[in-house]
Each structure stands twice: as C-alpha cells, then as structure tokens.
Amino acid sequence: MQRQTTQRVAIENAFTAAGRPLGPQEILEAARDEVPSLNLATVYRTLKRMVDDRILHPVELPGESPRYELQEAADKHHHHFRCRKCDAVFDLNGCVNGLSKLLPAGFQMSGHDIVIYGDCRACNA
Amino acid sequence: MQRQTTQRVAIENAFTAAGRPLGPQEILEAARDEVPSLNLATVYRTLKRMVDDRILHPVELPGESPRYELQEAADKHHHHFRCRKCDAVFDLNGCVNGLSKLLPAGFQMSGHDIVIYGDCRACNA
DNA sequence: ATTCGTGCAAAGACTTTGCATAAAT
DNA sequence: ATTTATGCAAAGTCTTTGCACGAAT
C-alpha cells in the first residue's frame, strides 16, 4: 500500500465527488482544485497504484481510453451505459441470461462485458 | 470510392485470407507478402478509406486498439469472443434478450456491444 | 534518516499529416 | 495530363520512465 500523500487524497476525493467513472485528464482537472501543482504523470502513477491496492477498478469501453471507478462500485457485477449525446458513462445494475448459448463448440466462457449505447435521461429530456 | 491500387488490393486480400478481425500491424505484415514496400502510414490511410467506402468495419474491444473486419461479416448482427490465452478475436453469431431491462428509467437504448472472454477451442485442447 | 512520491522533461508507443514522387485513370 | 495514393519523415496524442528534489514515515 502506498503512502497517503495529499495528491492521492485529492484524487480519491475526485472519485467520491464524481460518482462515475473518470479518465486521467478529468481526474487531473478535478483534483487540481485541491492540489494545483498536481501533474499528469502523478495521476497516471497514482491510478496504477490505486488499482494495485484494489481501491480503483479500470473501466474500459470499446474504442476509448480507460477510465476508473471506485472498487466498491465495481464489486457488484454491473455493466455500463454510454450516452451518445453527452458521452457520459453510467453504471447499469444487473445482467442478462443466455450468454453462453452464443459460444461455438469447444469455447469456454470466463467473463463478459456489456455496453449499452443510447441517450441518457438528461439528454432525452 | 478510392482508386484500386495494388496496396489496397493486398490489404483486402489479407482480410479475406484471415477471416477474422485484424489490427494495423497484423495487416501490414500480412499484406507485405504481396507488396513488400507497403508502409504503415498507407495501411492507416487505406483502412480509413475502406471504412468510409463501407468495405471494412471497425471492431473495437475494451482496452484495445481498433481492429477491422470485412463489412459483409459485420452486416449480420454479431458479437465478439476474445481468447484470454492467445488473444485472438472471433465472431459470435446471435444475441441475447433482455438487455433493455438493464436500463434505468428515462434512458433509451440505440445499440449495444457484448464481448465474451475465455479460452478458444484451440487453447482448450 | 530513510523511504517513497512528485514534478519536470525526455522517451515510447501508436496514429496522423505534409510533402515530393509515383501510380492510376 | 490530371488526379489521387504512396513512402518517408516529422509531428501529434497519450502514456510511461529517469532523475533530482521534496514529502511522509
């Protein structure tokens, strides 16, 4: 477990405040409110350590750079919704049945990702 | 529609021969058998044009650079399987029901992606 | 006092672009 | 002859890393 620096605390606070997956640049901007000297290289290093420490979980969507979310949010199996209008990402609870029926013979499933695309509530209104 | 250059033909042949999604570097290596002078910049430019011409379709998996597949393969709705041992990607036919039940109120679905992870037949054997 | 993290700048990986040449029409 | 693609090298973006300094234990 790494040291509890002011930078790391600021990064952690950014996640708690946002309540949704964030990317490195978003994190930099948010955490600089608290620690203006914060450097992007530090963000990358801290993200990596926090993932090792099981405090953050990477959220990887097709065709995009990784975002991260608090591990507690990731502990319950969930998937993601990506709004095609505002580009925000939301957690979706629950899952579907019947994935294994898609497998060809001889293939074995050990995991899956589902991403739903569309318009979020705010963009629909 | 762009010109029918020897480079483009070689790239198209690489896809036909592979029968699975390929990334830029894989394409370069395969197509150089036919056109040794082929340059990676040309591969990128040609991929972009072939996507515009609806001959190729991008395949984007979480956390990876885009691959491409022939549009004819993409025309029927399908998803992808990623082998955790050999990293190859395979097409999966069919789909599942009940995705819309994952949506929170006010959200509207216009598309989805499913990726199944596991071991492919060759790696299982 | 020692250990580990930070900022900065440089280096890497991947992708895009400017430009003169070459190929296709 | 004209138009468009190619190869090469340079530049962009995103991410990682080396190193001297500073902060945490």
Side-chain angles (χ1 to χ4, degrees), chain A residues 3-4 6 40-41 44-45 48 65-66:
Chain A
R3 285 183 173 162
Q4 197 67 3
T6 51
L40 188 54
Y44 278 103
R45 281 186 288 227
K48 186 164 287 182
S65 309

Side-chain angles (χ1 to χ4, degrees), chain A residues 8-55:
Chain A
R8 174 161 170 162
V9 171
I11 290 171
E12 216 160 335
N13 288 343
F15 280 105
T16 311
R20 61 181 183 86
L22 299 174
Q25 190 64 44
E26 288 177 297
I27 294 160
L28 179 68
E29 285 156 21
R32 270 188 171 165
D33 291 347
E34 215 171 307
V35 181
S37 72
L38 183 62
N39 188 279
L40 188 54
T42 302
V43 173
Y44 278 103
R45 281 186 288 227
T46 306
L47 288 173
K48 186 164 287 182
R49 288 165 190 154
M50 290 173 83
V51 170
D52 289 347
D53 295 347
R54 311 240 166 217
I55 288 165

